[in-house]
Every structure is written in structure tokens, then in C-alpha cells.
Amino acid sequence: MPPKSDSIEGIVLGFVNEERALPHLPRLDFTMSLQQNRPLNSQNVADALQKFNLKKTAVQKALDALADSGQISFKEYGKQKIYIARQDQFHIPNGEELEEMKKTNAKLQEELMDQKKAISEVESEVRGLQSNLTLAEITSKKTKLQSEVQEMEETLNKLRSGVTLVKPEDKEIIENSFSEKVNQWKKRKRMFKELWDNITENSPKDQKEFKEELCLEYDEDVDVNLQPYSDMLASLNKRRKFCR
């Protein structure tokens, strides 16, 4: 008579056979087993059944009782006993059944691939939808853009009506300041070049290494170019000359 499923022998037998459900107990998750139809010793079983707080001694006793009652098979190798589920309880498929199982497996694999593809397409669509703005965000952005357009139109209308947005005296101050700073830049750049040429003219040192040793940086080293500002100053001077 098989043991009760919630008894120690019932739990051990359920593990060895694995496919048997154990009523009133959580479904076993035996990661060590491959359909559990494999040889086991008492330590294997005790390790797998730790969640039930079963001691190795109790497991050994249950295995021996099950073996003695013929519910599981065992063999002795020296002092060690090896246990295995009774093979006569398992259905061994014949050639035709195996072939049918292969066909079924291939069909299921194909269906699985189709499902994965469908899931991937749905996930891609979801990501696309998530990247779109919500109605509230669209409304907020629309309001902001309308406000910006209105401000631009007001500025444009002022320009069209001939209104001067910058006072002539303010414009002159800005232009004079720009002109002075560019001229100072050009002057100091020229002075440095003359001084540097005199220092390095007869120096045996490599100029690049010497410059790095002195921690000097050219405009080009910091992505600054004087030429565009010189061109702007020339254009400004030309316009001033024309307006006089």
C-alpha cells in the first residue's frame, strides 16, 4: 500500500518518481533531477528535500522502507546504496510513438517561434506607443508652441513697422566694445608671436615641447579662431564708413 503523500515516505517516493503530485504540499521543484528517473543516494534526496526540513537519517530510513516494500528499486555498491524509481511504472514509447512525439515536438517548436515573433512585434508596437506623447503632453506642448509663435509674430510685427528694438546709443556701445576687444585680441596675438619667435629663434628645443613645458596654449588648442571675429569687425567698419 503506497504511503500517504504528506508522510516522510510519501514525500521521498514523490521525489524519486517526481511525476506524482503530492496533495496538500507545494509542488516540488527538483532542479537536480531530469524527470528524476536517475540513480540517487540518500544524500541527493536529503539535499533536494531540504524545504521539508527532513534529516538525512529520516530520508535514509524512508528510502530503505520503500525499497523493502518494493515501491522503489535499489542496488548496493559496497557500503553505499543507490536508489531508483521502478521502471515498470513508466511507459516506454515504441518507435511509432517516438516518431509521433518528434513530429509533435517539431510542430510545437514552430508554434513557439510564431508566438515569440508575435510577442516581439507586440512589444515593438508597445515601445512605439510609449514613445508617443500623451494627449495631455500634446496639449501642453501645443499651448507652449502657440505662445512662442505669438511672441515671434509680435516681434516680427514690430520689425515690419520700423520700430527700433535696440537704441542707437546702446548699439554703438556694443559695437565699440566688440571692436576694442577684437583689436586687443589681434594686438596681443601679434605681440606674443613676435616675442615667441625671438625666444625660440636660436633655441635647440622643439617648439611644441617647449610650449607644453611652459603650459602655453594657442587659440587653436582650445578650438578658438580669431578670423570669424576679424571678418565681423571688418564688415562692421565697412558699414560704419558707408553710413557716414
Side-chain angles (χ1 to χ4, degrees), residues 147-162:
S147 177
E148 292 177 358
V149 169
Q150 185 176 355
E151 291 178 4
M152 291 178 182
E153 286 180 345
E154 290 174 356
T155 302
L156 183 59
N157 290 333
K158 288 180 180 179
L159 292 172
R160 284 173 175 169
S161 64

Side-chain angles (χ1 to χ4, degrees), residues 66-89:
L66 292 169
D68 291 341
S69 64
Q71 297 181 72
I72 61 174
S73 302
F74 81 98
K75 286 189 177 183
E76 291 188 67
Y77 295 90
K79 294 182 179 181
Q80 189 176 28
K81 290 183 178 181
I82 300 299
Y83 304 89
I84 191 169
R86 287 183 52 173
Q87 300 302 295
D88 57 5
Q89 67 178 314

Side-chain angles (χ1 to χ4, degrees), residues 24-223:
H24 314 301
L25 290 175
R27 182 173 180 81
L28 298 179
D29 181 17
F30 304 121
T31 57
M32 294 176 60
S33 64
L34 297 172
Q35 294 303 320
Q36 212 49 276
N37 191 15
R38 67 183 182 89
L40 299 162
N41 59 32
S42 58
Q43 188 64 56
N44 298 147
V45 180
D47 290 341
L49 298 179
Q50 285 183 0
K51 65 173 71 178
F52 297 103
N53 297 318
L54 299 180
K55 302 296 183 181
K56 182 181 177 182
T57 304
V59 170
Q60 181 70 67
K61 184 177 180 181
L63 286 168
D64 289 337
L66 292 169
D68 291 341
S69 64
Q71 297 181 72
I72 61 174
S73 302
F74 81 98
K75 286 189 177 183
E76 291 188 67
Y77 295 90
K79 294 182 179 181
Q80 189 176 28
K81 290 183 178 181
I82 300 299
Y83 304 89
I84 191 169
R86 287 183 52 173
Q87 300 302 295
D88 57 5
Q89 67 178 314
F90 301 120
H91 171 67
I92 301 176
N94 56 34
E96 292 181 1
E97 289 174 324
L98 284 173
E99 190 63 30
E100 188 63 31
M101 290 168 67
K102 288 180 180 179
K103 291 179 181 179
T104 302
N105 181 60
K107 183 178 179 181
L108 290 173
Q109 289 292 335
E110 187 177 344
E111 291 177 359
L112 177 61
M113 292 300 295
D114 292 339
Q115 290 296 324
K116 286 183 176 180
K117 183 178 178 181
I119 291 172
S120 178
E121 291 174 354
V122 171
E123 288 177 343
S124 177
E125 186 177 351
V126 169
R127 286 194 296 269
L129 292 173
Q130 288 176 337
S131 65
N132 293 335
L133 297 176
T134 64
L135 182 59
E137 290 172 335
I138 292 173
T139 303
S140 176
K141 190 169 184 178
K142 177 183 176 183
T143 302
K144 182 180 178 181
L145 290 174
Q146 286 176 335
S147 177
E148 292 177 358
V149 169
Q150 185 176 355
E151 291 178 4
M152 291 178 182
E153 286 180 345
E154 290 174 356
T155 302
L156 183 59
N157 290 333
K158 288 180 180 179
L159 292 172
R160 284 173 175 169
S161 64
V163 175
T164 303
L165 300 180
V166 180
K167 295 179 181 179
E169 53 268 29
D170 293 337
K171 181 180 178 183
E172 185 175 0
I173 291 173
I174 294 171
E175 289 178 346
N176 289 338
S177 177
F178 173 74
S179 176
E180 179 187 1
K181 287 178 172 55
V182 173
N183 285 327
Q184 284 289 337
W185 188 355
K186 293 168 68 175
K187 179 181 178 181
R188 295 188 182 194
K189 191 177 180 71
R190 184 172 60 254
M191 290 172 60
F192 170 79
K193 186 176 185 308
E194 292 174 355
L195 182 61
W196 180 256
D197 288 344
N198 289 331
I199 293 173
T200 59
E201 183 177 3
N202 297 316
S203 174
K205 286 190 173 184
D206 179 77
Q207 290 193 21
K208 184 177 180 181
E209 293 180 358
F210 190 29
K211 183 187 74 168
E212 292 177 352
E213 184 179 333
L214 297 175
C215 299
L216 297 177
E217 288 183 333
Y218 292 167
D219 293 342
E220 295 76 11
D221 295 332
V222 290
D223 295 327

